[in-house]
């Protein structure tokens, strides 16, 4: 058998996976680690150097306040929902110790297509996931219905033309994870 000569970085990139949300537990990153992750995420390819994205950090009680917003909107839409169902919505952002919303500010621009600005936001989100893993944590990128609800977005401080790229849930892995089947290269690669 060939010896494994992968660097730590390669091992991380080859093995990274997203845990189920309830398998992401405390402790989460501290303030210095959060700053380090966000610095890495903002070092993303960015056509035009527009920084067409920003980050909103939800920790501690901030997660509960955001959950209250989500629950209130849910209750308006589904008034018949019982308390347990509403509580699922109320606790949406308090399952992991840290949630970072990656927000896209992509907008029409004279030179840089809006699409490319969006892609840069998605790449920043990916870098954030990788940075969390590199620091020894795990991360899962979620959107769910509330990322697309304008009332929730407004209450969380987003402008009308801002969009949620993802809510990245970050913390410590509770138990070993099973991987999922990955695409076979033969199915996704052609040579021109
Ligand atoms: C833009 C985007 C939004 C996502 N939103 C959700 C979501 O709302 N709920 C969910 O279960 N998975 C969501 N996922 C998928 C997970 O992040 C993850 O990729 C998936 O569970 C597979 O895990 P893996 O990263 O180990 O392949 C989303 C992924 C992306 C790229």
């Amino acid at each position: 058998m060939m010896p494994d000569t992968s660097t730590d970085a390669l091992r991380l990139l080859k093995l990274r996976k997203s845990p189920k949300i309830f398998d992401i537990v405390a402790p989460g990153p501290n303030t210095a680690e959060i700053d380090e992750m966000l610095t890495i995420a903002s070092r993303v390819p960015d056509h035009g150097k527009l920084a067409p994205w920003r980050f909103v950090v939800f920790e501690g009680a901030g997660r509960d306040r955001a959950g209250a917003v989500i629950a209130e909107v849910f209750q308006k839409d589904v008034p018949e929902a019982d308390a347990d169902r509403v509580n699922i919505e109320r606790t949406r952002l308090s399952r992991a110790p840290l949630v970072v919303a990656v927000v896209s500010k992509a907008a029409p621009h004279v030179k840089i297509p809006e699409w490319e600005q969006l892609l840069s936001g998605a790449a920043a989100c990916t870098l954030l996931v990788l940075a969390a893993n590199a620091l020894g944590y795990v991360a899962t990128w979620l959107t769910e219905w509330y990322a697309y609800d304008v009332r929730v977005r407004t209450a969380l401080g987003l402008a009308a033309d801002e969009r949620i790229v993802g809510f990245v849930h970050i913390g410590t892995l509770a138990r070993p994870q099973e991987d999922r089947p990955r695409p076979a290269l033969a199915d996704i690669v052609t040579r021109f």
Side-chain angles (χ1 to χ4, degrees):
M1 212 166 98
M2 292 275 288
D4 183 359
T5 54
S6 301
T7 62
D8 285 351
L10 269 179
R11 260 196 297 277
L12 183 155
L13 291 168
K14 286 177 180 170
L15 297 176
R16 180 218 63 83
K17 50 191 181 248
S18 305
K20 301 228 175 324
I21 189 66
F22 291 109
D23 287 335
I24 303 177
V25 298
N30 62 31
T31 305
E33 289 172 320
I34 294 171
D35 284 355
E36 194 173 5
M37 291 187 314
L38 297 179
T39 303
I40 292 168
S42 57
R43 199 186 173 84
V44 68
D46 173 10
H47 192 180
K49 305 180 191 68
L50 301 174
W53 24 256
R54 64 186 183 91
F55 307 103
V56 183
V57 176
F58 300 92
E59 301 179 87
R63 301 171 309 161
D64 301 330
R65 284 199 305 277
V69 164
I70 293 170
E72 193 186 327
V73 169
F74 177 78
Q75 253 177 324
K76 273 204 187 104
D77 288 353
V78 192
E80 68 278 16
D82 64 19
D84 286 349
R85 183 65 190 82
V86 174
N87 207 41
I88 290 175
E89 300 302 331
R90 193 180 309 285
T91 53
R92 282 278 193 186
L93 293 195
S94 9
R95 293 166 189 170
L98 170 70
V99 178
V100 178
V102 179
V103 175
S104 173
K105 307 196 303 176
H109 185 275
V110 283
K111 263 182 72 182
I112 313 298
E114 192 171 340
W115 161 246
E116 296 190 5
Q117 298 173 47
L118 264 175
L119 294 178
S120 182
C125 210
T126 306
L127 274 182
L128 177 60
V129 168
L130 293 176
N133 278 272
L135 279 166
Y137 298 99
V138 289
T140 296
W141 175 346
L142 301 180
T143 42
E144 305 292 352
W145 67 269
Y146 47 87
Y148 298 97
D149 189 286
V150 71
R151 297 161 295 177
V152 173
R153 290 205 304 249
T154 304
L156 296 183
L158 271 69
D161 56 353
E162 290 184 320
R163 280 167 281 189
I164 298 281
V165 177
F167 290 99
V168 181
H169 296 248
I170 298 169
T172 298
L173 185 62
R175 61 185 64 82
Q177 299 291 301
E178 260 188 37
D179 203 1
R180 67 178 174 92
R182 302 289 166 172
L185 283 192
D187 294 336
I188 54 168
V189 179
T190 52
R191 285 187 165 71
F192 184 75

